[in-house]
Amino acid sequence: MEPGTRIGKYVIEARLGEGGNGTVYAARDGVLGRHVAFKVLHPHLVSDAQIAARFRQEAQAMAQLNHPNVVIVHDFVGEANRWAIVMELAVNGETLGSLIKRAGRLDPARAARLCTQVAAGLGHAHARGIVHRDVKPANVLVLRDGGSEVAKITDFGIARVANGERRTQAQLTLGTLWYIAPEQAQNSSVDARADVYSLGATLYEALTGSVPFPYDNAARVLAAHISEMPRPPSTRAPGIPEVLDELVLRCLSKNPDERPRDGDQLAALLGAITQRAAAIPSTQVASAPAIPQPAPVPPAADVAPPGPAAPASRLTREDSQVGMWIGIGGLVLLSSVCLLGSFLCVLTGFLR
Ligand SMILES: Nc1ncnc2c1ncn2[C@@H]1O[C@H](COP(=O)(O)OP(=O)(O)OP(=O)(O)O)[C@@H](O)[C@H]1O
Ligand SMILES: [Mg+2]
């Protein structure tokens, strides 16, 4: 749609982007004067009465949500074949997906902080019986507010309408499939724990720069969600604390009973980890190598065969103290050998 196009009381101003379900524009509410995001759903998603009815139902559910970590839905427009969701416009921000792409991966403290906020937003919906069904980095908007960042989850309920029974899982875009829970991959009924899985996959990508199952074949991705164990994030990127590693893997459990039960419980667990921020390095790691740092070279006498290095985060203070004492001991031993050698040389010379 061209800038200046009018739809009801809204005037299109600029095109912001496009996804699998629609095209998003910046628009102005001609009556209230405020700027909004205007998501026009692809015509094939609203072309039949059943979908339109379902969409209305979802719209009513979405309108109940009011939380700082959820993009507010202001209005819905349904004109002939043109359906649009009118949302809060995220100014001064970008999607978590583009943030991760730009940075390579996020510092663990930052990733955990942003996902705690998303979990809180999801928790608000879960408490009202609403499941998102399409949690992924592209559906998280990160806004800069002075020196801090606020994450907001968007596109609530759209997956329910758009995916419906019309498209089989294999027809969904990879951009959605990389994050879906095993029960969703099997077309079973889902609850809040499916969102927890998808947020776990989102956090996994934020921490490592890679989704848990980074395959480019839909059937293989679906099969992996159902039966393949993901590699621990700490094996893909350095500096991830063990507690965070374990929580991500718990969210990615195949069995929903083994995951945190909803967004609120996940927010509480993640929040506790971010509060122990001292345990998480706060420097940007975007330019750091993807593989854990090599372990310190052991004393020459017992060089071990090459093997995977221990992740930096697993090294405790005691480990580094032991290393320091071994180093000092080695130096003392080396000095003694040198001294003894010099003494023998002098002695040999003297005897000659
Ligand atoms: N509320 C908003 N404010 C500002 N920009 C937005 C907003 N919502 C979406 N966008 C922009 O529009 C782009 C497309 O969003 P959209 O939700 O259509 O894509 P997607 O999430 O990749 O796919 P889909 O949601 O259809 O599965 C986003 O990448 C983002 O840049
Ligand atoms: Mg989206």
Side-chain angles (χ1 to χ4, degrees):
M1 281 190 297
E2 292 304 309
T5 306
R6 260 185 186 278
I7 300 172
K9 62 174 182 169
Y10 299 97
V11 183
I12 298 297
E13 295 187 319
R15 187 177 177 280
L16 296 175
E18 186 170 343
N21 298 322
T23 308
V24 182
Y25 299 89
R28 192 170 51 81
D29 178 332
V31 174
L32 299 177
R34 72 179 161 195
H35 292 274
V36 294
F38 197 86
K39 180 164 183 165
V40 182
L41 298 181
H42 293 316
H44 69 271
L45 296 176
V46 289
S47 57
D48 86 32
Q50 211 186 349
I51 295 188
R54 198 196 327 223
F55 187 72
R56 217 182 292 272
Q57 224 173 48
E58 285 300 314
Q60 283 161 355
M62 287 183 250
Q64 292 177 37
L65 303 179
N66 183 8
H67 189 276
N69 302 114
V70 175
V71 170
I72 303 287
V73 171
H74 294 311
D75 198 2
F76 294 87
V77 173
E79 280 189 357
N81 220 9
R82 205 183 255 163
W83 286 70
I85 308 165
V86 185
M87 299 176 279
E88 176 185 358
L89 178 68
V91 258
N92 226 352
E94 63 183 314
T95 68
L96 179 60
S98 72
L99 193 64
I100 297 170
K101 206 175 260 175
R102 206 161 43 76
R105 63 175 178 274
L106 306 187
D107 165 86
R110 189 180 181 197
R113 220 170 22 240
L114 290 173
C115 288
T116 305
Q117 295 181 17
V118 177
L122 288 172
H124 172 79
H126 294 159
R128 283 152 189 79
I130 300 171
V131 181
H132 188 291
R133 293 162 191 266
D134 192 15
V135 176
K136 58 182 179 180
N139 280 341
V140 175
L141 301 176
V142 180
L143 316 190
R144 274 170 272 293
D145 183 11
S148 58
E149 287 179 319
V150 181
K152 290 180 183 249
I153 180 94
T154 186
D155 282 353
F156 258 102
I158 293 180
R160 189 183 174 88
V161 181
N163 302 345
E165 301 93 296
R166 310 211 103 218
R167 290 194 277 176
T168 65
Q169 306 303 49
Q171 287 171 301
L172 295 177
T173 60
L174 271 173
T176 282
L177 289 182
W178 279 323
Y179 309 92
I180 67 169
E183 59 273 23
Q184 253 176 308
Q186 289 169 300
N187 269 331
S188 308
S189 63
V190 300
D191 60 23
R193 295 167 300 175
D195 285 349
V196 167
Y197 182 98
S198 303
L199 186 53
T202 298
L203 178 54
Y204 189 109
E205 185 179 358
L207 290 168
T208 67
S210 162
V211 289
F213 306 114
Y215 313 131
D216 56 9
N217 171 296
R220 191 160 172 217
V221 174
L222 288 171
H225 282 303
I226 295 165
S227 58
E228 194 177 311
M229 295 314 290
R231 276 174 56 183
S234 61
T235 65
R236 289 184 188 254
I240 299 169
E242 204 171 341
V243 273
L244 194 52
D245 214 32
E246 282 166 3
L247 182 54
V248 172
L249 291 178
R250 211 182 126 199
C251 291
L252 293 176
S253 300
K254 307 293 182 203
N255 179 354
D257 292 341
E258 288 167 16
R259 300 174 206 148
R261 69 174 173 272
D262 59 18
D264 279 342
Q265 193 178 47
L266 178 55
L269 293 167
L270 267 176
I273 293 175
T274 44
Q275 273 171 11
R276 281 155 47 192
I280 305 176
S282 60
T283 48
Q284 276 293 336
V285 291
S287 55
I291 300 300
Q293 308 288 326
V297 178
D302 56 60
V303 175
S313 59
R314 302 255 170 94
L315 287 180
T316 61
R317 182 167 296 184
E318 286 76 7
D319 290 335
S320 42
Q321 278 180 357
V322 169
M324 186 181 81
W325 285 115
I326 289 174
I328 291 174
L331 274 177
V332 169
L333 192 67
L334 198 67
S335 316
S336 315
V337 170
C338 287
L339 266 174
L340 190 66
S342 318
F343 175 72
L344 284 175
C345 283
V346 171
L347 190 67
T348 319
F350 179 74
L351 288 177
R352 274 191 198 139

